[in-house]
Amino acid sequence: MGICISKTKNSSKTDVVLHSNQRSDDPNILYTKSPPPATQTPARKPPPLPSPKRVFKSNTILSKPFEDVKEHYTIGRELGRGQFGVTYLCTQISTNQKYACKSISKKKLITKGDKEDMRREIQIMQHLSGQANIVEFKGAYQDKLYVHLVMENKPPPQI
């Protein structure tokens, strides 16, 4: 700590500022407290913004948010059963056309490989849709418990 000397514009006298309990007998000396030393605190980084991927829940199979299949289709009678789910007859609400809805339980998709297989099956069906002798894929939906695959309902071939 030391002595600060400064002149003011309107005054001919010199102000002397003493620090650290220094005293002077001069009446022109102005005693002030020195400001505390500037301490720099490390700047805190703001928390990162959530990524768009966090919008989806952890049990999401498809890369899109939950959508109820019952908003678009009316689920009817059971057509068949498999290892992972059940296939139902469903009717599109807007056109009254009949389709098959394969509902796969998410509880059955245990491993990461099972979930990847499901995604791959959907991609293959989308790619092959419209080809001769291939079932036409209409859409994939998911809710909290199931993944629903809606596809053309072709009767079995007559032999």
Side-chain angles (χ1 to χ4, degrees):
M1 301 282 172
I3 300 173
C4 279
I5 300 174
S6 62
K7 285 189 175 183
T8 58
K9 276 187 173 180
N10 300 335
S11 173
S12 61
K13 66 180 182 178
T14 302
D15 291 337
V16 178
V17 180
L18 297 176
H19 301 286
S20 300
N21 298 330
Q22 295 176 345
R23 296 280 181 215
S24 173
D25 295 330
D26 188 353
N28 293 331
I29 295 179
L30 175 67
Y31 294 96
T32 63
K33 272 191 162 180
S34 63
T39 57
Q40 291 186 355
T41 58
R44 290 187 181 178
K45 293 181 182 178
L49 296 174
S51 70
K53 293 179 183 177
R54 293 185 186 182
V55 170
F56 308 119
K57 297 190 170 41
S58 62
N59 63 349
T60 298
I61 304 297
L62 307 177
S63 298
K64 61 181 186 176
F66 290 167
E67 185 177 5
D68 191 7
V69 71
K70 293 177 183 174
E71 291 178 12
H72 306 281
Y73 298 92
T74 304
I75 306 296
R77 66 181 175 89
E78 182 179 315
L79 296 175
R81 288 186 170 267
Q83 180 180 357
F84 289 100
V86 181
T87 303
Y88 298 97
L89 181 66
C90 67
T91 306
Q92 189 173 22
I93 295 170
S94 61
T95 63
N96 210 27
Q97 276 199 287
K98 302 217 181 283
Y99 296 103
C101 177
K102 183 178 179 182
S103 297
I104 300 157
S105 174
K106 287 184 179 181
K107 288 182 182 177
K108 300 280 185 165
L109 304 173
I110 299 168
T111 67
K112 192 174 184 178
D114 292 339
K115 294 174 184 178
E116 286 297 322
D117 288 344
M118 172 59 55
R119 289 185 197 102
R120 195 174 307 110
E121 179 181 351
I122 293 168
Q123 287 176 344
I124 290 169
M125 290 177 73
Q126 287 173 336
H127 182 72
L128 294 176
S129 191
Q131 300 293 323
N133 299 319
I134 303 290
V135 173
E136 187 176 342
F137 180 71
K138 290 297 183 181
Y141 304 89
Q142 69 179 331
D143 54 32
K144 290 181 181 178
L145 302 175
Y146 293 94
V147 175
H148 306 279
L149 305 179
V150 179
M151 60 197 87
E152 180 181 18
N153 182 25
K154 281 191 172 184
Q158 300 295 326
I159 300 178

